[in-house]
Amino acid sequence: MNALPLIHSAEVAAAKASGRPVVALESTIITHGMPYPQNLEVARQVEDDIRGVGVTPATIAVIDGKLHIGLEVDQLETLAQAKGVAKLSRADLAVCMATGGTGATTVAATMIGAERAGIDVFATGGIGGVHRGAENSFDISADLMELAQTRVTVVAAGAKAILDVDKTLEVLETQGVPVIAYGQDSFPAFWSTTSPLKAPLRMDSAEEIARAHRMRALLGLPGGQLIANPIPVESEIPAHDLAPIIAKAQTDADAHGIRGKAVTPYLLQRIFELTEGRSLAANIALVRNNARLAAQIAQALSDLAREA
Ligand code: PSU
Ligand code: MN
């Protein structure tokens, strides 16, 4: 076993063979981010949104020890219904694969898979970040350090208010990660188009973002870019509606002693329950919006490569 056990779906293999652009998608959002059956519907819809731009989607996951770049229809269905699937970040990926396990990839692990498969762009909902109270818990997502070392452009809707957004931006700055708001100055706040914080950088087109991605590579800089794409305004939920719900979810997590990698899935699940699905509709809208932008960036990168 000297080769990395990496399997492309038929669709991704065909796209790569003919040099067509591919966008990576994570699988933790399916197994730990949304309830069944909406998770499956959304996963399929998001793949179709990418195909609608003429780009190929590659949902990434580990199945029976193999790193899958793109899932077949039955594999996606099985994963969406599976219970107790492992959540894999940078720390867990190799152990899961070496032991023949099955797991869903977080932003960090999906970036690693995408880079190994030669995929430059990845769409998700929200990234992990610095949790509230991190000065005591030290709970800082490995996603932030991954953005600093793995060369993938990640499109997300900013950071959820379950995180300390100020501290998350500070860590990204320290790590040298470009945080680029798309089409506005404000750093978007996941369910809301804007936050009180200004994003460090702004770009207004997929082409500019593609050029910046390429320029980082030409400079020999490791690491990716975080594109903060605001939720479509018609789908947003005002921050003040969610603030008490997030506070309650956090109190419940503390009361139940939720720690480590269980924290983010617990908070997401609790917020779905407490909003009775309202957060889910917004979540779906923003993930689809991110998928479309990611596909445009992947297309622009592919056009740039052809020019050069
Ligand atoms: N934030 C969301 N939705 C998600 C996640 C985060 O709004 O689904 C998932 C992503 O897979 C992300 C992971 O990479 O949680 C972060 O987990 P942790 O905080 O344990 O690093
Ligand atoms: Mn954590």
Side-chain angles (χ1 to χ4, degrees), residues 87 128-129 131 137-142 163 259-265:
K87 174 185 159 192
H131 280 266
S137 68
F138 278 47
D139 189 348
I140 302 175
S141 176
L163 301 172
R259 306 275 307 160
K261 60 200 288 172
V263 172
T264 297

Side-chain angles (χ1 to χ4, degrees), residues 118-293:
I119 300 171
D120 294 303
V121 188
F122 160 27
T124 185
I127 58 158
V130 181
H131 280 266
R132 296 181 183 191
E135 58 275 26
N136 296 315
S137 68
F138 278 47
D139 189 348
I140 302 175
S141 176
D143 291 352
L144 302 183
M145 275 57 80
E146 202 62 51
L147 278 160
Q149 59 185 314
T150 300
R151 199 177 283 150
V152 175
T153 286
V154 179
V155 182
K160 267 202 176 112
I162 60 173
L163 301 172
D164 186 321
V165 181
D166 273 287
K167 289 194 179 76
T168 299
L169 288 174
E170 288 295 347
V171 170
L172 287 166
E173 185 187 347
T174 302
Q175 296 286 332
V177 177
V179 177
I180 303 168
Y182 182 65
Q184 66 180 32
D185 293 325
S186 170
F187 184 68
F190 200 81
W191 290 292
S192 314
T193 55
T194 58
S195 74
L197 299 169
K198 191 170 179 286
L201 298 162
R202 166 184 177 156
M203 286 188 150
D204 292 309
S205 74
E207 213 222 320
E208 282 177 353
I209 294 167
R211 285 186 186 283
H213 178 102
R214 198 177 63 159
M215 195 58 75
R216 281 186 72 86
L218 292 172
L219 284 165
L221 295 175
Q225 315 186 97
L226 177 61
I227 310 304
N229 186 29
I231 184 173
V233 69
E234 66 275 12
S235 303
E236 77 169 342
I237 307 177
H240 64 255
D241 287 8
L242 280 164
I245 286 167
I246 291 164
K248 167 100 176 83
Q250 185 68 62
T251 307
D252 292 352
D254 294 340
H256 287 91
I258 309 293
R259 306 275 307 160
K261 60 200 288 172
V263 172
T264 297
Y266 179 91
L267 292 173
L268 296 178
Q269 173 61 30
R270 202 72 193 100
I271 291 166
F272 287 138
E273 290 164 9
L274 293 167
T275 59
E276 291 163 351
R278 193 174 170 208
S279 69
L280 186 56
N283 209 340
I284 293 170
L286 68 86
V287 177
R288 297 186 64 189
N289 191 47
N290 294 344
R292 286 185 290 262
L293 177 58

Side-chain angles (χ1 to χ4, degrees), residues 1-6 64-66 93-100:
M1 60 151 272
N2 290 314
L4 178 67
L6 188 145
D64 299 333
K66 305 217 165 43
L93 188 58
V95 167
C96 179
M97 291 176 67
T99 54

